[in-house]
Amino acid sequence: MPTDQQFDSQSHNRMVNWYLTTQFNFFAKDNDANSKPFDQFKEPDDYKCMFGTKAWLAGSLPAPSISKRWKRDVEFARQYLTGVNPIMIRAVRDEDPLPDDLNLSAANLALINQKLYEAAPANNDTLDSLRLKRRLFYVDYKILQGITMKDNRVFYSPIVVLYLDHINHLMPLLIQLTRESNDRREVFIAPNEIDGEKKRWYTHTNKYSDDVLDRTWLFARMHVMSADGIVHEMVSHLAFTHLAMEPIVIGFHRQLATSHKLFQLMIPHFRNTLAINDFGRSTLLSDNDSVFDRIIGCGLVGSLALMQKAYTTKFNLMDRAFDKEMALRGFSEVTSGGIDNLPGYYYRDDGFKLWHALKKYVSIVVHHLEVYGNNQSTNSRIKHDEQLQALRRELADPFMGNVPGMPELETATDLIGFLTTVLFTCTAQHSAVNFGQFDYYSFVPNRPLHLTKSMPHDKNQVTNAYIMAALPGKSMTMDTISVARVLSLPAVYMRDPLTNEKIGYTLMKE
């Protein structure tokens, strides 16, 4: 890789130091006589005991706030709106109904509607009335079907249905872990809380105690978050930001002169893309003892297969334009005085603000900075820009850039749409799916990247010991937390793209 694209020594050493000092923190904590050692953990909440030690160079590593509220259903649902993977949720519409694989038998539907009625009798809601009111949502992990599991690890391709309740909180309605026709396709219906403590359960049998049902529902949620973690890391994050942008970054360097205004526009936002991708290939995706092979449910082989499947069947560059991607999932911008069909979806709200700002910025460059002008000859200048058209051909070529959905660049509208999409992906989108990793993954029970126990037929087997046996062990937990912490580090400075001099100021205390 060209030397000007490599990490400088400060950036590289910083990542290594944070990884090692995080590991040292846990070593010190586990050997602290006043702390509970890992091998004495009895329930998921005991994972909090891994935090709170002041260690050499690591400073304080407090338990993430999610560890205090991760068991709450409203928190489980909130993570689909403002968590580390806020691009999965879809609004149920006529053109985007609930998945066919969902087991909505008459018996299940009766329990679901009973649950909805008892949650808010005055509303008299049913599953169908929620759909008509645009208050019904779902998340589908079908892309995980057929992906190889590693060793004794277990993950599902679940379906989650959520709804906006009578006080406008997004809440889970049901979870279905299995979907194949030869499976039971068991549906787990979310409980109603009574007086803030006691829960009302909705099942087809009365043979299980409330404690068993509570642990079963929690374990089903953990399997959902495990599936979401795999899809987030391998698809939403790695494939659809880092790797999808790599051929575009290379293409700009290969085809545009450094004096080209579009090169100068885009190059500051490509900084460290190739460096971090190269670092990831040698660590996260290495053939020899890769991090993802150790901590991800599908291991290295499954991870590569999942990324290939997602990129070839789900990725289209211009469908990743923020406004179009939101529309495909059933969401539009909430304007002043307009109806908000999903309050608290800050990824949507903040995303539109950033999208409009970036699009305006790109439009000014294209039209007003003597690049292509703002008159009748604008489109002709774009069409006959040899460097720009060489870039487009390279990116569209399946044997070169191989970017699915690469548009023709013949008009100002084409060009502005392309540049804004790339700019948004490299900046806002990557930030949304990257910088929250420590907050949500470091308390491992909240988002376990792998589990080793399936959901048993006899729910009495779902004890705290069973759940603890399913969770990652000490070494893999330490790896998960350390990697999440390193990947969540913000840049401490920028460099001038032309002079390579440091600019800006430190954003994070070392």
Side-chain angles (χ1 to χ4, degrees), residues 449-463:
L449 284 171
H450 79 256
L451 293 165
T452 58
K453 297 287 186 183
S454 60
M455 178 64 76
H457 177 67
D458 179 5
K459 303 306 181 285
N460 285 314
Q461 295 180 33
V462 187
T463 61

Side-chain angles (χ1 to χ4, degrees), residues 5-48:
Q5 296 301 310
Q6 297 173 14
F7 279 130
D8 59 32
S9 58
Q10 180 181 352
S11 297
H12 182 271
N13 292 341
R14 181 168 171 260
M15 289 191 295
V16 173
N17 285 342
W18 275 64
Y19 183 90
L20 293 177
T21 52
T22 304
Q23 293 266 327
F24 184 88
N25 196 314
F26 297 131
F27 176 80
K29 181 69 174 175
D30 203 47
N31 288 275
D32 186 341
N34 297 318
S35 300
K36 180 185 290 187
F38 191 92
D39 58 9
Q40 292 182 20
F41 289 2
K42 302 297 183 184
E43 59 181 354
D45 280 332
D46 285 343
Y47 276 76
K48 296 175 188 176

